[in-house]
Amino acid sequence: MQAIRTTLPRFAPSYGYRNRLLRVDLSDGRIWAEETAHLLPDFLGARGLAAKVLWDEYPEPVDAFDPRNPFMVVPGALTGARSPYSGRTNICAFGPQSHPYTWFTRASIGAHWGDELKKAGYDGIVVTGASETPVRILIRDDVVSILPADELWGRDALEAQEMIADVDKGVRTLTIGQAGETLSRIATVHTESTSVAGQGGFGAVMGSKKLKAISVSGSSEVPVAHPERLRELFRAVAAETRDMRRRDLSAMNEQLAQEGGGHARLTACTAYCPSPCRLEVTDVQGCQFDRKWSGALACVSGLFRGGGRMALYDWNVGFRGAFELNMHANRLGLNHWEILVGIVPWLRSAERAGLVNELNGQPLAWNDMAFWVRFLDDMAYRRGDGDALAEGGVRAAEMLNLAPEIMRRYYTGWGYSGHWDGHAAFVNYIVYPFWIASAIHWAMDTRDPASSTHGYIQNVIYWGPFGNQYKRDEAPITWEHMKGIGERVYGRADTLDPLSGYEGKSVP
């Protein structure tokens, strides 16, 4: 295809917002901009803007792989404005992973891409249509281009970013790996080494549009009403949280040195985060691949190691093995949560029940790195049984006719495995009566409500008396403390009182 390039007009901005939504139709190569001011303040934030656009333009749902499916990338209201913890960006579309319907849903991604888009002068981007050949989108302030990407197709997610960076200096890039190209319903969207829009299968939406990457570079500041006051607040939050995530990594670095080299440190997972908590590791010698790996371990990725902490995770490939599998899955563009909290527990339980002992003619050998690499590759490239697994655990159990009743232990609803809920909480411990808040979230959402349940459920369990055994150097927290926090944060003590039953739990 021939490159298409357009220079877009700017509209009068408002505080926090650029008053410009970028629209791209890959079917006919159109690029245009629309104002967003008329949507504010009724539809604040990334999810608000995306849902309003969808509500107005899609009176009936479309299939996830229909070219009409709008692939939306929308930063938050304060993204790009140097507000603490504000760097998140939402990706929204009709989600391939959702089941039994491909509901309109969302995922969140960090790092610096959303920050850069706001600095380029956009409140979001909506991509519709589909190209006949691989393409990428390049945004440099007002100049937006659709470029051929044949040389990127077939490359993994990180390699594609590196190739783009060699050609277009200074850009931030969203990419998909091979799983997105093969339309795996558990395909992810990546930026940098480890920031991932995991749930939803949005990598497959990009793949269905033949859209390999979206790159952006911006040069203007996001306007705020009181910039000096915002800076004061940022410094105050940073001072308050400076020690919250401190961790001694000397033992880990000594172990890495003994095992062939590498270095671990804590970094921020997103722009303007004042309390780095992500474990970033560089130059770690691989176990299965003859190469060194650099990247980060985040969220559930540590479960690749196994280690016996829970019965279904009784293998142990060590830290280096886990880090290598984490990075290999990232490069392929596969959803770690779906694999490690959905597919693997289902397969392991079916294995223990005597219902399965091999995949693609290979024995299930969870302590074998070669088995794990084949397992991930088969999903990404849709080889043999991997073709069914690429559809996600719920659909795979149906397609393979393999232990659907066991599968349901690990999948709470809508095609997603349990995340801080009372039904499938074998990874995240949760007790009565607090799980009612997550049950309400599950009933109201179209995917696992991680962003909502992390804010209340996780903190009740971890920071409250249940978690005292993990905080040995701190004074124990009592339920009287918790009730006081409930009074201050939610306006009533019974929100954090375990003896009050469900009364008050609907408030959070």
Side-chain angles (χ1 to χ4, degrees), residues 115-180:
D115 175 68
E116 205 72 28
L117 186 72
K118 289 288 283 289
K119 289 179 177 177
Y122 302 93
D123 296 321
I125 175 173
V126 180
V127 182
T128 51
S131 174
E132 294 183 359
T133 58
V135 295
R136 64 185 180 100
I137 296 171
L138 174 63
I139 306 163
R140 285 194 180 277
D141 291 324
D142 302 337
V143 180
V144 180
S145 306
I146 303 173
L147 304 173
D150 301 85
E151 75 284 1
L152 300 176
W153 203 255
R155 307 284 186 169
D156 69 48
L158 274 62
E159 188 179 11
Q161 290 184 58
E162 293 162 0
M163 292 175 66
I164 291 171
D166 288 341
V167 177
D168 295 310
K169 306 297 184 183
V171 298
R172 305 286 187 177
T173 299
L174 295 177
T175 52
I176 59 172
Q178 291 90 335

Side-chain angles (χ1 to χ4, degrees), residues 274-352:
S275 53
C277 63
R278 186 178 66 180
L279 182 65
E280 184 173 288
V281 189
T282 53
D283 296 328
V284 173
Q285 179 60 45
C287 299
Q288 183 65 21
F289 295 92
D290 185 18
R291 57 158 297 170
K292 291 187 176 181
W293 299 88
S294 296
L297 275 171
C299 189
V300 74
S301 303
L303 288 176
F304 275 118
R305 178 173 185 166
R309 184 169 66 91
M310 292 170 287
L312 295 175
Y313 299 85
D314 58 358
W315 70 86
N316 194 343
V317 298
F319 174 80
R320 287 195 303 127
F323 183 66
E324 183 171 45
L325 293 175
N326 155 71
M327 291 307 301
H328 186 55
N330 275 348
R331 286 181 170 270
L332 294 171
L334 288 167
N335 180 344
H336 295 193
W337 186 275
E338 168 66 13
I339 293 169
L340 293 168
V341 188
I343 291 174
V344 167
W346 158 57
L347 288 175
R348 298 237 60 200
S349 295
E351 179 186 13
R352 291 184 174 184

Side-chain angles (χ1 to χ4, degrees), residues 8-23 32-41 49 74-77 79 117-125 142 220-223:
L8 298 172
R10 292 204 174 210
F11 312 114
S14 58
Y15 294 129
Y17 286 93
R18 309 315 304 265
N19 190 23
R20 188 164 60 163
L21 183 69
L22 173 59
R23 306 291 299 252
W32 72 103
E34 297 173 348
E35 294 190 61
T36 58
H38 65 286
L39 302 175
L40 305 172
L49 285 175
V74 190
T79 302
L117 186 72
K118 289 288 283 289
K119 289 179 177 177
Y122 302 93
D123 296 321
I125 175 173
D142 302 337
S220 61
E221 292 298 314
V222 177

Side-chain angles (χ1 to χ4, degrees), residues 44-253:
L44 288 173
R47 289 168 68 182
L49 285 175
K52 175 59 174 171
V53 170
L54 183 102
W55 185 264
D56 287 346
E57 299 183 16
Y58 291 81
E60 296 293 333
V62 300
D63 184 74
F65 299 138
D66 189 312
R68 294 173 295 167
N69 188 9
F71 181 79
M72 307 192 221
V73 192
V74 190
L78 290 172
T79 302
R82 296 193 62 82
S83 177
Y85 308 106
S86 66
R88 305 297 297 186
T89 297
N90 271 9
I91 294 180
C92 301
F94 290 100
Q97 187 179 350
S98 300
H99 182 275
Y101 310 106
T102 52
W103 304 101
F104 177 74
T105 189
R106 92 285 175 199
S108 176
I109 197 165
H112 301 84
W113 195 93
D115 175 68
E116 205 72 28
L117 186 72
K118 289 288 283 289
K119 289 179 177 177
Y122 302 93
D123 296 321
I125 175 173
V126 180
V127 182
T128 51
S131 174
E132 294 183 359
T133 58
V135 295
R136 64 185 180 100
I137 296 171
L138 174 63
I139 306 163
R140 285 194 180 277
D141 291 324
D142 302 337
V143 180
V144 180
S145 306
I146 303 173
L147 304 173
D150 301 85
E151 75 284 1
L152 300 176
W153 203 255
R155 307 284 186 169
D156 69 48
L158 274 62
E159 188 179 11
Q161 290 184 58
E162 293 162 0
M163 292 175 66
I164 291 171
D166 288 341
V167 177
D168 295 310
K169 306 297 184 183
V171 298
R172 305 286 187 177
T173 299
L174 295 177
T175 52
I176 59 172
Q178 291 90 335
E181 296 177 2
T182 61
L183 308 192
S184 166
R185 292 182 184 271
I186 60 171
T188 54
V189 179
H190 286 248
T191 186
E192 301 180 16
S193 71
T194 317
S195 285
V196 182
Q199 300 283 52
F202 296 120
V205 178
M206 287 183 67
S208 71
K209 297 180 180 299
K210 286 289 195 295
L211 176 60
K212 182 65 177 182
I214 307 176
S215 303
V216 60
S217 174
S219 61
S220 61
E221 292 298 314
V222 177
V224 294
H226 303 286
E228 183 53 43
R229 178 60 177 145
L230 185 60
R231 282 191 289 270
E232 293 174 3
L233 288 169
F234 186 93
R235 288 191 289 266
V237 171
E240 182 72 21
T241 63
R242 184 170 293 118
D243 296 329
M244 193 172 86
R245 295 288 186 173
R246 183 171 292 176
R247 178 179 172 187
D248 185 3
L249 298 177
S250 57
M252 178 176 288
N253 281 313

Side-chain angles (χ1 to χ4, degrees), residues 223-460:
V224 294
H226 303 286
E228 183 53 43
R229 178 60 177 145
L230 185 60
R231 282 191 289 270
E232 293 174 3
L233 288 169
F234 186 93
R235 288 191 289 266
V237 171
E240 182 72 21
T241 63
R242 184 170 293 118
D243 296 329
M244 193 172 86
R245 295 288 186 173
R246 183 171 292 176
R247 178 179 172 187
D248 185 3
L249 298 177
S250 57
M252 178 176 288
N253 281 313
E254 288 177 11
Q255 180 181 349
L256 289 172
Q258 294 170 3
E259 296 179 355
H263 180 74
R265 66 189 183 109
L266 292 179
T267 61
C269 71
T270 190
Y272 309 125
C273 172
S275 53
C277 63
R278 186 178 66 180
L279 182 65
E280 184 173 288
V281 189
T282 53
D283 296 328
V284 173
Q285 179 60 45
C287 299
Q288 183 65 21
F289 295 92
D290 185 18
R291 57 158 297 170
K292 291 187 176 181
W293 299 88
S294 296
L297 275 171
C299 189
V300 74
S301 303
L303 288 176
F304 275 118
R305 178 173 185 166
R309 184 169 66 91
M310 292 170 287
L312 295 175
Y313 299 85
D314 58 358
W315 70 86
N316 194 343
V317 298
F319 174 80
R320 287 195 303 127
F323 183 66
E324 183 171 45
L325 293 175
N326 155 71
M327 291 307 301
H328 186 55
N330 275 348
R331 286 181 170 270
L332 294 171
L334 288 167
N335 180 344
H336 295 193
W337 186 275
E338 168 66 13
I339 293 169
L340 293 168
V341 188
I343 291 174
V344 167
W346 158 57
L347 288 175
R348 298 237 60 200
S349 295
E351 179 186 13
R352 291 184 174 184
L355 301 174
V356 63
N357 57 22
E358 57 87 18
L359 289 172
N360 285 346
Q362 299 292 324
L364 298 176
W366 303 101
N367 276 302
D368 183 356
M369 285 289 294
F371 163 78
W372 273 101
V373 171
R374 285 194 305 271
F375 179 60
L376 297 174
D377 286 349
D378 287 348
M379 278 187 279
Y381 293 102
R382 288 185 171 273
R383 298 191 301 224
D385 294 331
D387 184 53
L389 297 178
E391 295 286 294
V394 174
R395 290 179 174 87
E398 297 171 352
M399 293 170 66
L400 298 173
N401 193 27
L402 176 60
E405 70 287 349
I406 291 177
M407 174 273 294
R408 283 189 285 271
R409 297 178 193 171
Y410 306 109
Y411 286 84
T412 302
W414 321 135
Y416 299 91
S417 53
H419 209 145
W420 288 104
D421 68 272
H423 170 69
F426 73 105
V427 170
N428 293 325
Y429 173 70
I430 180 176
V431 299
Y432 166 94
F434 298 106
W435 72 267
I436 188 63
S438 67
I440 293 171
H441 283 304
W442 272 94
M444 294 169 60
D445 215 330
T446 54
R447 53 152 281 182
D448 68 299
S451 54
S452 302
T453 53
H454 273 310
Y456 172 76
I457 303 298
Q458 172 186 274
N459 293 336
V460 169

